[in-house]
Amino acid sequence: AFAAGGGGGGGLSAAENASDAADVGEPAEAGRLWSTDTTGAERHTVVSAGGAAAAGLEVAQTTVGEDGAYATEVRCAEPGIGTWFAAPGGTELEELRLLLANPDEEAATANVDVYIADGPVYSEETRGIPVEAHGSSEVELTDLIQGSRTAAVHVRTNSGRVAASLFADHGGSGQDWVPPTAPPSDTHVVPAIPPGGDKRLLIAAPGDNPVTVGVRLYTGEGRVEHDTLDGLSVPPSAAAFLSLPLGEQTGTAVVEADGPVVVGADAVRDDGGDTAYSAAAGPLQNPLEGTAVVPANPEGTSSQLVFAALDGAAAAAVTPVAEDGTTGDPVRVEIADDRTTTEDLPVPDGAHAFTVEIEGDAPVYAGRVLTHEDGDDSAVSAQPLLPAPAEVPLPQVENSLTALVQ
């Protein structure tokens, strides 16, 4: 966790998701790196902040296998009333498990909509899911999507809020968290598609009409031209996939459709031993959303930042932040237009997180690829970088007898 707010009162702590649970971490001050070991936690861990520490708070959990078999990272989900995922499928999938946590004082009820290649599917277990106050629920989706190479999962609440996370286990082919993706839209950008292995774009059209999709694909050498990237047809209320001709290169995918779609990407290592997922995300852009926070590298891992500027060249300053809040020398990254730019994160002594600050007005799409190597084995995990604003503008209030609420 990294609390990016300024000075002042408040603090940060973590506890198991129960009203009477004891803290499993020590409070931290704003502007400092904080971490705790959640290995012994038997329930979901809730991280809460107050005062200055609540501004710009970023939290992620990383798990690394001792033998290099896997590396997983999940960004802690903020409770809400709706979350989308672009999920993997196929006969190799051993488990697709949805975890719902309710940190609030009131109970919540959720429904889960699933769209596969043959259309929408559901079961009794995906309807009216109760999530008690300070409680959690797990929903097994494996049987619903086996036989389909991909799926879209939509979590929506009838009452209350839940924090939703999705875990995919391919057994010998790896396991990882599937990051939430952007809600349905006719344009998406998927950053940080990892290099190597087989890579696919996962696409679903949750509406009632068929959708035609075109894809622009960018690597460090520029735009990839390939016949298969245009004219993909996705049936209504169904999911499809598209193989991405990226080879050993890191990529960024721009999806443009004639109707709303949900998209993500998956990558399977060449030897089939690990999987990684990326998702559609909005850009980092000034003035208020030009900063992101990159969690610290766990021991034995390395990270690569992945940038794409699609509306003009840009630059970013990457600054290490030590555990006590002191900052190191920033590294300036030049981001060429219409290209995927990669930058290896430095490995300073001690525990460090990193801030990424975009220079100029051009939007920049970004992500992180985390790699864990142990001898001949390596594992990869990917996450888009999301804005970490320390200031959120509120709508203007006017003196009027009428109001419009969206």
Side-chain angles (χ1 to χ4, degrees), residues 6 54 77 110 123 126 152 180 188 190 216 232 237 239 264 327 342 370 375:
S123 67
T126 62
H188 290 286
V190 182
R216 288 184 284 128
L232 174 68
S237 301
T327 59
T342 60
L370 177 73

Side-chain angles (χ1 to χ4, degrees), residues 40-331:
E42 297 180 356
R43 309 183 68 182
H44 299 266
T45 300
V46 174
V47 179
S48 58
L57 174 66
E58 289 292 306
V59 185
Q61 176 176 286
T62 305
T63 305
V64 176
E66 294 180 357
D67 56 358
Y70 64 88
T72 72
E73 180 180 357
V74 57
R75 186 180 298 273
C76 291
E78 182 179 355
I81 61 173
T83 306
W84 285 90
F85 299 92
T91 56
E92 303 87 0
L93 183 68
E94 294 188 0
E95 183 181 39
L96 187 67
R97 178 164 38 102
L98 182 67
L99 296 93
L100 306 176
N102 177 10
D104 294 334
E105 300 291 340
E106 302 294 332
T109 304
N111 287 334
V112 179
D113 303 318
V114 181
Y115 304 90
I116 64 173
D118 294 332
V121 291
Y122 65 93
S123 67
E124 292 183 2
E125 289 74 21
T126 62
R127 291 291 180 263
I129 305 163
V131 190
E132 298 298 326
H134 298 290
S136 60
S137 296
E138 296 187 7
V139 185
E140 294 290 344
L141 302 177
T142 317
D143 291 341
L144 284 179
I145 71 168
Q146 278 192 338
S148 177
R149 297 289 300 278
T150 181
V153 177
H154 182 205
V155 180
R156 53 187 175 87
T157 61
N158 298 326
S159 61
R161 306 183 306 161
V162 295
S165 301
L166 187 65
F167 187 74
D169 186 354
H170 280 79
S173 298
Q175 52 187 254
D176 209 337
W177 296 93
V178 179
T181 195
S185 175
D186 57 6
T187 303
H188 290 286
V189 176
V190 182
I193 302 174
D198 296 326
K199 291 168 283 290
R200 303 182 308 158
L201 197 65
L202 314 176
I203 308 171
D208 296 328
N209 298 309
V211 175
T212 301
V213 176
V215 179
R216 288 184 284 128
L217 197 59
Y218 296 94
T219 68
E221 299 175 356
R223 183 172 176 178
V224 176
E225 300 290 345
H226 202 283
D227 294 342
T228 62
L229 297 177
D230 291 320
L232 174 68
S233 179
V234 184
S237 301
F241 72 92
L242 176 68
S243 295
L244 296 176
L246 281 171
E248 296 299 317
Q249 300 186 83
T250 303
T252 304
V254 180
V255 178
E256 296 172 316
D258 58 5
V261 292
V262 176
V263 301
D266 70 357
V268 180
R269 199 169 62 185
D270 286 329
D271 60 5
D274 192 36
T275 54
Y277 307 99
S278 190
L284 305 177
Q285 187 169 20
N286 289 315
L288 296 178
E289 297 188 337
T291 299
V293 174
V294 183
N297 289 336
E299 185 177 353
T301 67
S302 60
S303 289
Q304 187 178 68
L305 297 182
V306 182
F307 300 99
L310 306 175
D311 293 308
V318 181
T319 305
V321 181
E323 192 170 9
D324 62 359
T326 58
T327 59
D329 295 332
V331 175

